[in-house]
PDB file of all heavy atoms in Angstrom:
ATOM      1  N   ALA M  38      -0.573  18.854 -13.543  1.00 98.00           N
ATOM      2  CA  ALA M  38       0.546  18.896 -14.408  1.00 98.00           C
ATOM      3  C   ALA M  38       0.887  17.574 -15.069  1.00 98.00           C
ATOM      4  O   ALA M  38       0.809  16.456 -14.334  1.00 98.00           O
ATOM      5  CB  ALA M  38       1.885  19.455 -13.591  1.00 98.00           C
ATOM      6  N   HIS M  39       1.290  17.612 -16.307  1.00 98.00           N
ATOM      7  CA  HIS M  39       1.723  16.382 -16.943  1.00 98.00           C
ATOM      8  C   HIS M  39       3.186  16.175 -17.021  1.00 98.00           C
ATOM      9  O   HIS M  39       3.689  14.956 -17.100  1.00 98.00           O
ATOM     10  CB  HIS M  39       1.144  16.307 -18.360  1.00 98.00           C
ATOM     11  CG  HIS M  39      -0.394  16.250 -18.335  1.00 98.00           C
ATOM     12  ND1 HIS M  39      -1.106  15.090 -18.319  1.00 98.00           N
ATOM     13  CD2 HIS M  39      -1.262  17.374 -18.437  1.00 98.00           C
ATOM     14  CE1 HIS M  39      -2.396  15.390 -18.328  1.00 98.00           C
ATOM     15  NE2 HIS M  39      -2.475  16.727 -18.412  1.00 98.00           N
ATOM     16  N   ARG M  40       3.873  17.307 -16.892  1.00 98.00           N
ATOM     17  CA  ARG M  40       5.410  17.140 -16.859  1.00 98.00           C
ATOM     18  C   ARG M  40       5.862  18.032 -15.724  1.00 98.00           C
ATOM     19  O   ARG M  40       5.620  19.252 -15.592  1.00 98.00           O
ATOM     20  CB  ARG M  40       5.943  17.609 -18.237  1.00 98.00           C
ATOM     21  CG  ARG M  40       5.781  16.631 -19.318  1.00 98.00           C
ATOM     22  CD  ARG M  40       5.698  17.393 -20.649  1.00 98.00           C
ATOM     23  NE  ARG M  40       4.713  18.480 -20.576  1.00 98.00           N
ATOM     24  CZ  ARG M  40       4.628  19.467 -21.392  1.00 98.00           C
ATOM     25  NH1 ARG M  40       5.561  19.451 -22.386  1.00 98.00           N
ATOM     26  NH2 ARG M  40       3.767  20.377 -21.307  1.00 98.00           N
ATOM     27  N   ILE M  41       6.615  17.384 -14.824  1.00 98.00           N
ATOM     28  CA  ILE M  41       7.120  17.961 -13.561  1.00 98.00           C
ATOM     29  C   ILE M  41       8.631  17.868 -13.453  1.00 98.00           C
ATOM     30  O   ILE M  41       9.159  16.850 -13.821  1.00 98.00           O
ATOM     31  CB  ILE M  41       6.403  17.322 -12.412  1.00 98.00           C
ATOM     32  CG1 ILE M  41       4.870  17.486 -12.429  1.00 98.00           C
ATOM     33  CG2 ILE M  41       6.980  17.912 -11.042  1.00 98.00           C
ATOM     34  CD1 ILE M  41       4.155  16.753 -11.354  1.00 98.00           C
ATOM     35  N   LEU M  42       9.184  19.016 -13.016  1.00 98.00           N
ATOM     36  CA  LEU M  42      10.625  18.985 -12.753  1.00 98.00           C
ATOM     37  C   LEU M  42      10.733  19.259 -11.184  1.00 98.00           C
ATOM     38  O   LEU M  42      10.168  20.272 -10.658  1.00 98.00           O
ATOM     39  CB  LEU M  42      11.347  20.153 -13.426  1.00 98.00           C
ATOM     40  CG  LEU M  42      12.833  20.382 -13.149  1.00 98.00           C
ATOM     41  CD1 LEU M  42      13.724  19.107 -13.452  1.00 98.00           C
ATOM     42  CD2 LEU M  42      13.284  21.658 -13.755  1.00 98.00           C
ATOM     43  N   GLU M  43      11.459  18.415 -10.548  1.00 98.00           N
ATOM     44  CA  GLU M  43      11.827  18.671  -9.123  1.00 98.00           C
ATOM     45  C   GLU M  43      13.329  18.771  -8.992  1.00 98.00           C
ATOM     46  O   GLU M  43      13.990  17.900  -9.512  1.00 98.00           O
ATOM     47  CB  GLU M  43      11.349  17.395  -8.372  1.00 98.00           C
ATOM     48  CG  GLU M  43      11.645  17.495  -6.857  1.00 98.00           C
ATOM     49  CD  GLU M  43      11.192  16.322  -6.024  1.00 98.00           C
ATOM     50  OE1 GLU M  43      11.636  15.122  -6.265  1.00 98.00           O
ATOM     51  OE2 GLU M  43      10.369  16.500  -5.060  1.00 98.00           O
ATOM     52  N   VAL M  44      13.752  19.824  -8.261  1.00 98.00           N
ATOM     53  CA  VAL M  44      15.201  19.999  -7.948  1.00 98.00           C
ATOM     54  C   VAL M  44      15.422  19.724  -6.462  1.00 98.00           C
ATOM     55  O   VAL M  44      14.914  20.452  -5.651  1.00 98.00           O
ATOM     56  CB  VAL M  44      15.604  21.295  -8.362  1.00 98.00           C
ATOM     57  CG1 VAL M  44      17.094  21.415  -8.186  1.00 98.00           C
ATOM     58  CG2 VAL M  44      15.193  21.744  -9.718  1.00 98.00           C
ATOM     59  N   GLY M  45      16.100  18.619  -6.134  1.00 98.00           N
ATOM     60  CA  GLY M  45      16.287  18.203  -4.743  1.00 98.00           C
ATOM     61  C   GLY M  45      15.347  17.092  -4.331  1.00 98.00           C
ATOM     62  O   GLY M  45      14.279  17.262  -3.866  1.00 98.00           O
ATOM     63  N   THR M  46      15.795  15.886  -4.718  1.00 98.00           N
ATOM     64  CA  THR M  46      14.881  14.653  -4.463  1.00 98.00           C
ATOM     65  C   THR M  46      15.046  14.178  -3.036  1.00 98.00           C
ATOM     66  O   THR M  46      14.038  13.665  -2.569  1.00 98.00           O
ATOM     67  CB  THR M  46      15.416  13.466  -5.339  1.00 98.00           C
ATOM     68  OG1 THR M  46      15.881  13.996  -6.687  1.00 98.00           O
ATOM     69  CG2 THR M  46      14.421  12.454  -5.538  1.00 98.00           C
ATOM     70  N   ALA M  47      16.159  14.225  -2.487  1.00 98.00           N
ATOM     71  CA  ALA M  47      16.417  13.528  -1.228  1.00 98.00           C
ATOM     72  C   ALA M  47      16.025  12.039  -1.333  1.00 98.00           C
ATOM     73  O   ALA M  47      16.556  11.472  -2.242  1.00 98.00           O
ATOM     74  CB  ALA M  47      15.740  14.172  -0.024  1.00 98.00           C
ATOM     75  N   ILE M  48      15.255  11.436  -0.553  1.00 98.00           N
ATOM     76  CA  ILE M  48      14.820  10.060  -0.714  1.00 98.00           C
ATOM     77  C   ILE M  48      13.596   9.839  -1.610  1.00 98.00           C
ATOM     78  O   ILE M  48      13.054   8.773  -1.607  1.00 98.00           O
ATOM     79  CB  ILE M  48      14.720   9.369   0.675  1.00 98.00           C
ATOM     80  CG1 ILE M  48      13.553  10.095   1.509  1.00 98.00           C
ATOM     81  CG2 ILE M  48      15.978   9.397   1.378  1.00 98.00           C
ATOM     82  CD1 ILE M  48      13.120   9.200   2.670  1.00 98.00           C
TER      83      ILE M  48
END
Side-chain angles (χ1 to χ4, degrees):
H39 296 272
R40 287 152 308 163
I41 297 177
L42 173 67
E43 174 181 63
V44 187
T46 319
I48 60 167

